[in-house]
Amino acid sequence: MYQATIIITLRTSILDVQGKAVEHGIHSLGMTTVSNVRIGKQVQLEIDAHSDEDAARITDEACRKILANSVMEDYSYTVAKV
Amino acid sequence: MYQATIIITLRTSILDVQGKAVEHGIHSLGMTTVSNVRIGKQVQLEIDAHSDEDAARITDEACRKILANSVMEDYSYTVAKV
């Protein structure tokens, strides 16, 4: 069994409106030294695979086909045997 | 300047309905070896702080006060000088 941890982030060229809203909230609470807030997704999943390569291949396929929007988002992942 | 990377995850005791929906979608695409999908948030922010401790203190304050729901979510973070 393998555990994959995927991080999906909005491309830096795209305005992160959710991040801007959170930044505004943080400033409202007095933490004015915080800037450039960007919000992404973390996906954890388990894969019943025979090898590291097999688990990585399935993780990449899931990212490309359903998890990430390749037009607006970048993704990275790590796969570990558990 | 410091960069903080925060991971916010739903507590394992709480049903992750978004993760279940994504898992169903992944299975529909033929990747039936994937299980236990859980979805969290990743927040990146920059902090104008004088020390590692100061940056970590502000990050923790942001997590407690606005980013994480302490009833349902756990958070962890790393802080690095940039």
XYZ file of all heavy atoms in Angstrom, chain A residues 9-46:
287
model
N -1.570 23.891 -6.574
C -1.534 25.344 -6.356
C -1.966 26.073 -7.623
O -1.744 25.606 -8.740
C -0.115 25.812 -5.977
O 0.802 25.307 -6.947
C 0.284 25.336 -4.605
N -2.576 27.227 -7.422
C -2.932 28.105 -8.530
C -1.639 28.649 -9.134
O -0.705 28.983 -8.404
C -3.770 29.253 -7.970
C -4.795 29.924 -8.875
C -5.816 28.935 -9.409
C -5.503 31.021 -8.098
N -1.568 28.702 -10.459
C -0.362 29.245 -11.087
C -0.120 30.666 -10.609
O -1.079 31.430 -10.397
C -0.498 29.203 -12.606
C -0.544 27.775 -13.090
C -0.240 27.636 -14.551
N 0.019 26.227 -14.817
C 0.141 25.691 -16.014
N 0.040 26.459 -17.079
N 0.388 24.411 -16.146
N 1.161 31.025 -10.455
C 1.501 32.334 -9.878
C 1.000 33.490 -10.739
O 0.779 34.583 -10.239
C 3.019 32.461 -9.676
O 3.673 32.031 -10.866
C 3.479 31.617 -8.514
N 0.799 33.241 -12.045
C 0.322 34.309 -12.929
C -1.165 34.597 -12.744
O -1.675 35.590 -13.261
C 0.585 33.919 -14.380
O -0.041 32.683 -14.674
N -1.849 33.729 -11.990
C -3.302 33.890 -11.829
C -3.608 34.509 -10.462
O -3.079 34.063 -9.444
C -4.014 32.531 -12.013
C -3.851 32.089 -13.463
C -5.480 32.607 -11.608
C -4.415 30.738 -13.779
N -4.443 35.534 -10.457
C -4.818 36.213 -9.214
C -5.557 35.241 -8.298
O -6.521 34.598 -8.718
C -5.728 37.406 -9.541
C -6.269 38.177 -8.339
C -5.145 38.935 -7.643
C -7.366 39.134 -8.756
N -5.100 35.145 -7.059
C -5.726 34.254 -6.085
C -6.693 35.075 -5.233
O -6.326 35.641 -4.217
C -4.634 33.608 -5.230
C -5.196 32.589 -4.250
O -6.433 32.541 -4.085
O -4.402 31.841 -3.661
N -7.953 35.124 -5.654
C -8.930 35.968 -4.959
C -9.227 35.447 -3.552
O -9.433 36.229 -2.618
C -10.253 36.122 -5.759
C -10.045 37.015 -6.966
C -10.802 34.787 -6.200
N -9.218 34.122 -3.411
C -9.446 33.533 -2.081
C -8.296 33.939 -1.146
O -8.528 34.338 0.003
C -9.525 32.005 -2.225
C -10.059 31.298 -0.994
C -10.017 29.782 -1.116
O -9.572 29.236 -2.144
N -10.451 29.083 -0.088
N -7.072 33.874 -1.671
C -5.909 34.302 -0.895
C -5.983 35.761 -0.510
O -5.655 36.140 0.619
N -6.432 36.604 -1.442
C -6.566 38.042 -1.159
C -7.574 38.281 -0.039
O -7.366 39.126 0.831
C -7.017 38.795 -2.425
C -5.913 39.005 -3.441
C -4.936 40.096 -3.019
C -3.699 40.113 -3.895
N -2.491 40.525 -3.182
N -8.689 37.528 -0.075
C -9.722 37.679 0.961
C -9.176 37.260 2.324
O -9.403 37.940 3.336
C -10.946 36.844 0.595
N -8.438 36.156 2.348
C -7.855 35.680 3.609
C -6.813 36.685 4.115
O -6.751 36.982 5.313
C -7.238 34.276 3.414
C -6.388 33.881 4.619
C -8.325 33.238 3.186
N -6.021 37.235 3.194
C -5.013 38.234 3.574
C -5.681 39.448 4.233
O -5.202 39.954 5.249
C -4.231 38.657 2.325
C -3.067 39.584 2.607
C -2.231 39.839 1.344
O -2.014 38.875 0.576
O -1.815 40.980 1.129
N -6.788 39.874 3.646
C -7.543 40.995 4.210
C -8.015 40.654 5.627
O -7.920 41.481 6.551
C -8.729 41.323 3.297
C -9.511 42.510 3.731
N -9.093 43.803 3.509
C -10.692 42.601 4.397
C -9.981 44.641 4.027
N -10.956 43.932 4.558
N -8.504 39.427 5.797
C -8.952 38.988 7.125
C -7.821 38.975 8.136
O -7.994 39.397 9.284
N -6.651 38.479 7.703
C -5.477 38.429 8.593
C -5.068 39.848 8.998
O -4.786 40.112 10.167
C -4.317 37.684 7.895
C -4.635 36.185 7.789
C -2.999 37.883 8.655
C -3.623 35.379 6.985
N -5.076 40.776 8.038
C -4.731 42.167 8.340
C -5.730 42.768 9.333
O -5.351 43.497 10.240
C -4.698 43.007 7.054
C -3.519 42.712 6.186
N -3.327 43.287 4.949
C -2.444 41.887 6.374
C -2.210 42.821 4.414
N -1.662 41.977 5.250
N -7.020 42.445 9.148
C -8.064 42.960 10.041
C -7.844 42.514 11.481
O -8.278 43.184 12.423
C -9.444 42.468 9.588
O -9.704 42.887 8.284
N -7.168 41.370 11.648
C -6.893 40.860 12.994
C -5.601 41.432 13.562
O -5.147 41.022 14.626
C -6.835 39.329 12.967
C -8.173 38.627 12.719
C -7.966 37.137 12.494
C -9.122 38.842 13.895
N -4.975 42.350 12.825
C -3.809 43.045 13.349
C -2.470 42.512 12.881
O -1.428 43.074 13.202
N -2.498 41.406 12.114
C -1.232 40.828 11.639
C -0.876 41.458 10.288
O -0.978 40.844 9.231
C -1.372 39.310 11.524
C -1.481 38.630 12.884
S -1.988 36.895 12.775
C -3.768 37.082 12.728
N -0.425 42.698 10.353
C -0.221 43.493 9.131
C 1.099 43.180 8.419
O 1.343 43.684 7.326
C -0.268 44.994 9.468
O 0.645 45.246 10.537
C -1.661 45.414 9.897
N 1.947 42.347 9.032
C 3.219 41.990 8.394
C 3.071 40.812 7.429
O 4.037 40.414 6.796
C 4.275 41.633 9.459
O 3.757 40.605 10.292
C 4.635 42.830 10.307
N 1.844 40.273 7.330
C 1.594 39.130 6.439
C 1.224 39.632 5.047
O 0.437 40.570 4.902
C 0.469 38.236 7.013
C 0.068 37.151 6.018
C 0.899 37.616 8.334
N 1.802 39.017 4.015
C 1.485 39.418 2.643
C 1.514 38.203 1.714
O 1.949 37.125 2.111
C 2.493 40.465 2.161
O 3.788 39.907 2.152
N 1.042 38.427 0.491
C 1.157 37.422 -0.570
C 0.578 36.062 -0.171
O 1.218 35.030 -0.374
C 2.633 37.298 -0.966
C 2.797 36.928 -2.432
O 1.812 36.886 -3.193
N 4.007 36.644 -2.837
N -0.637 36.070 0.372
C -1.283 34.821 0.787
C -1.831 34.098 -0.436
O -2.532 34.686 -1.256
C -2.438 35.104 1.787
C -3.130 33.812 2.191
C -1.925 35.848 3.001
N -1.475 32.838 -0.557
C -1.989 32.026 -1.672
C -2.504 30.704 -1.118
O -1.880 30.092 -0.254
C -0.903 31.803 -2.733
C -0.544 33.107 -3.450
C 0.376 32.904 -4.628
N -0.272 32.342 -5.793
C -0.963 33.053 -6.689
N -1.106 34.344 -6.549
N -1.522 32.470 -7.729
N -3.644 30.270 -1.648
C -4.313 29.092 -1.099
C -4.353 27.972 -2.130
O -4.730 28.190 -3.279
C -5.730 29.472 -0.621
C -5.578 30.569 0.444
C -6.486 28.252 -0.102
C -6.733 30.823 1.295
N -3.928 26.811 -1.699
C -3.939 25.647 -2.576
C -4.654 24.488 -1.912
O -5.245 24.639 -0.845
N -4.604 23.332 -2.567
C -5.254 22.145 -2.039
C -4.206 21.076 -1.748
O -3.190 20.981 -2.444
C -6.251 21.580 -3.054
C -7.553 22.328 -3.111
C -8.421 21.855 -4.255
C -7.949 22.443 -5.569
N -8.816 22.166 -6.719
N -4.480 20.295 -0.719
C -3.654 19.137 -0.447
C -4.558 17.912 -0.518
O -5.626 17.893 0.103
C -3.034 19.252 0.953
C -2.036 18.137 1.260
C -2.291 17.473 2.604
O -3.432 17.288 3.023
N -1.226 17.099 3.280
N -4.182 16.910 -1.299
C -4.979 15.695 -1.421
C -4.117 14.521 -0.964
O -2.981 14.364 -1.415
C -5.432 15.455 -2.881
C -6.312 14.212 -2.965
C -6.178 16.665 -3.425
N -4.647 13.735 -0.037
C -3.962 12.516 0.381
C -4.792 11.330 -0.068
O -6.020 11.336 0.068
C -3.820 12.482 1.900
C -2.792 13.485 2.410
C -2.483 13.279 3.872
O -3.395 13.281 4.682
N -1.218 13.098 4.197
N -4.128 10.332 -0.618
C -4.860 9.131 -1.017
C -3.983 7.903 -0.890
O -2.752 8.000 -0.884
C -5.417 9.282 -2.438
C -4.549 9.824 -3.564
C -3.729 8.704 -4.168
C -5.428 10.450 -4.634
N -4.632 6.761 -0.736
C -3.911 5.494 -0.646
C -4.074 4.736 -1.948
O -5.133 4.783 -2.585
C -4.436 4.674 0.543
C -3.992 5.275 1.873
C -4.549 4.548 3.086
O -5.182 3.486 2.909
O -4.369 5.059 4.199
